[in-house]
Amino acid sequence: MASPTLALVKVDAHNWEACAWLQVQERQTGFVFTAAFSLAQCAYVPELLPFAVEVDERVVGHIVLKPDDKSSWIHRVIIGADYQGHGYGRAAVEAAIALLVETTACREIMLAVTPGNETATRLYHSLGFVATGEFKDGDAVYRLALNRNSSQAIS
């Protein structure tokens, strides 16, 4: 049996509703905006690019990127409550990093984590993100420095 295939697919007329209906676990609601809010924000902030996180063509999550040739951002990551615990969050962030490395000349990838969101903090640390000591809108900022010669994260 083949392992599931995860893909980041641009949000469009075919998958936006599945993205909008995604909900996280109740204990996580204070850490992330709703998927519906996230999609609405993308409609009015043109530099934000929304993607559905699909596994075998089923929407399991939603990720928003803010690509830039200097400093790109992973703006939001949402994995639906029913799909958590299967490694989809890690795989989605890894796919987002790969996409940003492929499509921009960025030297770093940034993201922000709400204080107290230990699950996300552990995930991002395990992927090489380091706390900058800065805060953005109350959230702790993390940075992944890139070695553009080899497209690998560096410490």
Side-chain angles (χ1 to χ4, degrees):
M1 180 178 196
S3 60
T5 303
L6 183 136
L8 300 184
V9 179
K10 285 186 179 180
V11 171
D12 62 18
H14 302 295
N15 61 17
W16 77 268
E17 283 187 81
C19 288
W21 283 109
L22 286 167
Q23 293 186 6
V24 296
Q25 295 176 10
E26 189 170 332
R27 65 180 173 78
Q28 299 168 319
T29 58
F31 298 135
V32 294
F33 286 102
T34 65
F37 174 87
S38 182
L39 289 174
Q41 185 180 36
C42 291
Y44 294 100
V45 182
E47 61 269 19
L48 296 179
L49 302 179
F51 291 87
V53 177
E54 294 187 2
V55 174
D56 294 335
E57 300 182 11
R58 182 181 68 248
V59 173
V60 301
H62 170 69
I63 195 163
V64 177
L65 305 179
K66 185 178 179 185
D68 183 83
D69 282 333
K70 181 182 176 204
S71 181
S72 290
W73 280 78
I74 297 175
H75 187 69
R76 192 159 293 123
V77 179
I78 297 170
I79 301 298
D82 294 341
Y83 304 108
Q84 293 181 16
H86 301 284
Y88 299 149
R90 171 179 292 281
V93 173
E94 290 172 340
I97 292 167
L99 180 63
L100 290 168
V101 166
E102 227 176 84
T103 60
T104 73
C106 68
R107 303 283 301 170
E108 63 186 9
I109 299 174
M110 310 294 287
L111 52 79
V113 180
T114 302
N117 190 345
E118 296 305 320
T119 301
T121 300
R122 279 193 305 275
L123 169 64
Y124 299 138
H125 276 150
S126 75
L127 292 171
F129 285 87
V130 177
T132 66
E134 299 171 21
F135 286 83
K136 180 179 180 190
D137 299 327
D139 293 342
V141 176
Y142 287 77
R143 176 180 182 261
L144 177 69
L146 300 174
N147 174 350
R148 294 305 289 195
N149 295 330
S150 66
S151 298
Q152 297 295 317
I154 57 174
S155 306

